[in-house]
Amino acid sequence: MVLAKIKKLQEYLFAKMGPGDRGPKTTEERSAPLEPTGWRKCVIHNTMLVVTLVGVVAGIALGFGLRPYQLGPDTLVLISYPGELFMRLLKLMILPLIIASLIAGSASLNAKMSGRIAVRTLVYFILTSMFNAFLGIVMAVLIHPGQPELKEDVLVAAGSKKDHSILDSLLDIGRNIFPDNIVQAAFQQAHTVYVEETTLLAKNSTENGTVPTLVRVVSYRSGTNTLGLVFFCLVFGSLLGSLGAKGQVVIDFFQAIFEVIMKMVAGVMWFTPFGVSSIIAGKILGVADVAHVMSQLAWFIATVAVGVFLYQLIVMQLIYFIVVKKNPYKFYWGLSHAMLTASATASTAAALPVTFKAMEGPLRIDVRITRFVLPIGCNINMDGTALFIAIAAVFICQMNNMTLGFAQLATIFLTSTAASLSSASVPSAALVLLLVVLSSVDAPAQDVSLLFAVDWLVDRIRTTNNMLGDCYAAAVVEHLSKNELMACDAASIEATTGITPSTEEALTTPGKQSIVSDDIVIDMHNHNNVERI
């Protein structure tokens, strides 16, 4: 027993002395390779960002370089095919990633703490969405995106069926949050449609020229009901964490699933340059006349871009600096790879695996917060969408010489906020929601088709706002929840070791489980202990 203690003491003293006190360095140590410095170190540490950026530049060059050759539809399909496969691989991992991260994240927190963090997250999402809608209206009114010359072939006649109202959209949100079939929620979501009432006199009324009666019907359309899955996983994970040791096996199971998915993501990410260049080249080649479209809607694109970057580079950074009190642009740079992926794929959900790697890796955000906030944010928080819808609604009203008073602007503000919260994290989802906002102020909905020509570009600009909004929300919520996280760490130590930790022991690194060390603690002022050794 005494020899063992002496051996541990010797190991402790050698560890404290450091390499400088262990004699001269050997030849092998002197010939060890030197660490790269300067730009080489930067490139090595940001290899994935560099190759992704190369893919973006290559896609733009390939798209504009092949436009003069007037390629056929089969060739366009082949050019876009690698990008299609890349998107399918990313979408393949979204559902298991969201389920595993939400259950593991909410299970690591107790139910009371999960409720507090959820309230903070939702408040942040709602306030930022409202601010973006307000910013969009102000930008559109001040800059005035202009009145492009419309062509007859651009417009699409409005359908005879009734458009969705904002009430229908809000009711659909509730139906999707509480699905009646969790298996069906994996591939279908509830949707309100208006159909003609089926009666025996329906045929005669149509022949007589009378307007048929439209009835509101709840149907299902293809698409993952992520809202319902998020709600189910949050409740399931919170209750699972309350079971204690009984539920630990299930928690470990979902944590293992999350780690496996992230390893799969690490492999797929090396396909990013080819997939990104294929997506961008295919989109550029698919536009009929890029120069004409850009000249018509240049002011509209510029207005959206100015609003997006104003929010990203100033407002977001101020929020982070005021709340977290750290350098916001260092945090912003750490998300550059995730931003490029979100912009290239035009989907926050598709970039979610990359966002997880950035937030939990170099940026060191607590894994309990990231796995709780990010999946919710990619389905609810759409800051860029709120800004785009507000600008587009005012733009179309200006284009039709409509006078917008305070009541109409307030309606656009509220409906843009509500529509962004119900937006799906898929490409071009905002154009469908724009119809709801236009119908609320009696604006011509058929003019939305004009924006389809530039939505491939604008969607990539605003998607970065959506992704960054989730990341900054996670950082702010983590800072505001430090006390709860430290209390959770302390409770975890007490439950596993039976020792009540002191204040210093409770102040552990967020997201890392505290470990009670078995090493010898030597008190240099306690001579009795040293003599006994």
Side-chain angles (χ1 to χ4, degrees):
M1 187 68 180
V2 176
L3 293 176
K5 289 184 178 181
I6 292 174
K7 186 176 180 181
K8 287 188 176 182
L9 177 59
Q10 290 173 347
E11 292 176 356
Y12 173 83
L13 294 176
F14 277 117
K16 284 296 182 183
M17 284 192 299
D21 298 328
R22 297 180 184 177
K25 295 182 179 179
T26 61
T27 306
E28 182 180 357
E29 289 177 341
R30 287 197 299 269
S31 62
L34 298 176
E35 285 282 337
T37 58
W39 64 271
R40 292 183 179 179
K41 181 179 180 181
C42 182
V43 170
I44 291 174
H45 289 181
N46 298 279
T47 304
M48 189 58 65
L49 172 62
V50 172
V51 296
T52 304
L53 188 59
V54 169
V56 172
V57 175
I60 296 174
L62 183 65
F64 284 104
L66 294 178
R67 282 189 65 83
Y69 296 98
Q70 301 294 325
L71 302 178
D74 292 340
T75 308
L76 293 181
V77 170
L78 291 177
I79 292 175
S80 303
Y81 188 66
E84 180 186 350
L85 295 181
F86 177 67
M87 287 293 294
R88 292 174 72 90
L89 285 173
L90 288 178
K91 290 180 180 179
L92 175 67
M93 292 176 284
I94 290 173
L95 188 59
L97 188 66
I98 289 177
I99 293 175
S101 63
L102 277 176
I103 292 179
S106 57
S108 62
L109 308 169
N110 56 52
K112 185 177 181 180
M113 192 185 306
S114 298
R116 290 179 181 177
I117 294 176
V119 169
R120 289 173 184 145
T121 304
L122 291 177
V123 169
Y124 183 91
F125 287 161
I126 293 173
L127 291 178
T128 53
S129 296
M130 293 174 67
F131 180 84
N132 275 273
F134 175 77
L135 179 63
I137 293 174
V138 172
M139 295 287 296
V141 171
L142 293 180
I143 296 180
H144 192 60
Q147 299 179 6
E149 180 184 355
L150 299 181
K151 290 185 175 182
E152 293 297 328
D153 57 348
V154 175
L155 299 180
V156 179
S160 59
K161 293 188 178 181
K162 181 180 177 182
D163 291 329
H164 288 79
S165 64
I166 191 65
L167 176 62
D168 294 328
S169 298
L170 294 176
L171 294 178
D172 287 340
I173 293 175
R175 295 187 184 100
N176 287 317
I177 290 177
F178 304 102
D180 55 355
N181 190 328
I182 193 63
V183 177
Q184 185 183 27
F187 55 88
Q188 282 186 336
Q189 51 185 271
H191 176 59
T192 300
V193 295
Y194 287 85
V195 297
E196 296 181 6
E197 187 177 8
T198 55
T199 60
L200 295 176
L201 302 177
K203 183 177 180 181
N204 294 331
S205 62
T206 305
E207 293 175 353
N208 294 334
T210 58
V211 179
T213 304
L214 298 180
V215 182
R216 181 189 286 115
V217 176
V218 178
S219 64
Y220 289 90
R221 60 183 176 186
S222 299
T224 304
N225 179 12
T226 49
L227 286 177
L229 294 175
V230 164
F231 174 78
F232 176 82
C233 292
L234 285 177
V235 175
F236 183 85
S238 299
L239 297 178
L240 181 64
S242 65
L243 295 179
K246 293 182 180 178
Q248 190 59 43
V249 177
V250 183
I251 296 174
D252 293 340
F253 170 75
F254 283 105
Q255 287 178 344
I257 290 179
F258 181 85
E259 293 175 4
V260 169
I261 296 297
M262 293 306 294
K263 287 184 178 294
M264 294 173 63
V265 169
V268 172
M269 282 301 101
W270 291 107
F271 189 62
T272 300
F274 308 101
V276 165
S277 59
S278 172
I279 292 172
I280 295 177
K283 289 295 181 181
I284 293 175
L285 292 171
V287 179
D289 191 348
V290 177
H292 180 68
V293 169
M294 292 300 178
S295 62
Q296 273 196 325
L297 298 172
W299 272 112
F300 173 76
I301 298 171
T303 305
V304 176
V306 169
V308 165
F309 292 115
L310 178 66
Y311 181 72
Q312 279 187 23
L313 299 176
I314 297 178
V315 179
M316 276 186 176
Q317 314 308 326
L318 283 176
I319 294 174
Y320 185 88
F321 179 75
I322 292 172
V323 177
V324 184
K325 296 179 177 60
K326 293 181 180 179
N327 185 358
Y329 293 101
K330 185 177 180 181
F331 185 81
Y332 184 79
W333 171 253
L335 296 168
S336 52
H337 182 213
M339 286 174 58
L340 273 178
T341 306
S343 178
T345 58
S347 173
T348 312
L352 185 60
V354 190
T355 310
F356 269 119
K357 289 179 69 68
M359 293 287 284
E360 297 178 4
L363 298 178
R364 298 184 180 277
I365 302 298
D366 195 309
V367 297
R368 293 168 292 184
I369 298 297
T370 57
R371 298 180 188 183
F372 190 92
V373 175
L374 293 183
I376 300 176
C378 78
N379 295 287
I380 296 177
N381 184 40
M382 300 292 168
D383 293 336
T385 301
L387 186 140
F388 167 77
I389 292 176
I391 293 177
V394 176
F395 164 68
I396 290 177
C397 292
Q398 290 173 347
M399 190 174 61
N400 290 276
N401 295 318
M402 292 179 59
T403 303
L404 294 175
F406 177 78
Q408 287 80 12
L409 292 176
T411 303
I412 292 175
F413 167 73
L414 294 175
T415 52
S416 299
T417 304
S420 66
L421 294 174
S422 63
S423 175
S425 56
V426 295
S428 299
L431 289 177
V432 179
L433 298 170
L434 182 57
L435 297 173
V436 178
V437 180
L438 292 175
S439 63
S440 66
V441 292
D442 296 327
Q446 65 269 19
D447 292 349
V448 175
S449 58
L450 180 69
L451 304 180
F452 275 96
V454 295
D455 191 62
W456 64 274
L457 175 62
V458 178
D459 195 9
R460 279 156 175 76
I461 297 174
R462 66 174 181 259
T463 301
T464 57
N465 252 21
N466 298 340
M467 187 278 300
L468 287 173
D470 302 341
C471 298
Y472 277 76
V476 170
V477 170
E478 184 206 33
H479 183 79
L480 297 177
S481 306
K482 274 188 174 180
N483 293 333
E484 287 89 346
L485 293 172
M486 286 190 295
C488 188
D489 286 335
S492 176
I493 295 173
E494 187 175 359
T496 54
T497 64
I499 302 174
T500 303
S502 62
T503 306
E504 294 180 356
E505 291 172 334
L507 293 171
T508 55
T509 303
K512 303 295 183 182
Q513 188 176 6
S514 302
I515 301 175
V516 179
S517 177
D518 293 328
D519 295 339
I520 295 178
V521 178
I522 299 180
D523 187 358
M524 301 306 294
H525 300 285
N526 193 342
H527 302 286
N528 295 330
N529 291 340
V530 178
E531 290 175 359
R532 282 199 299 268
I533 293 177

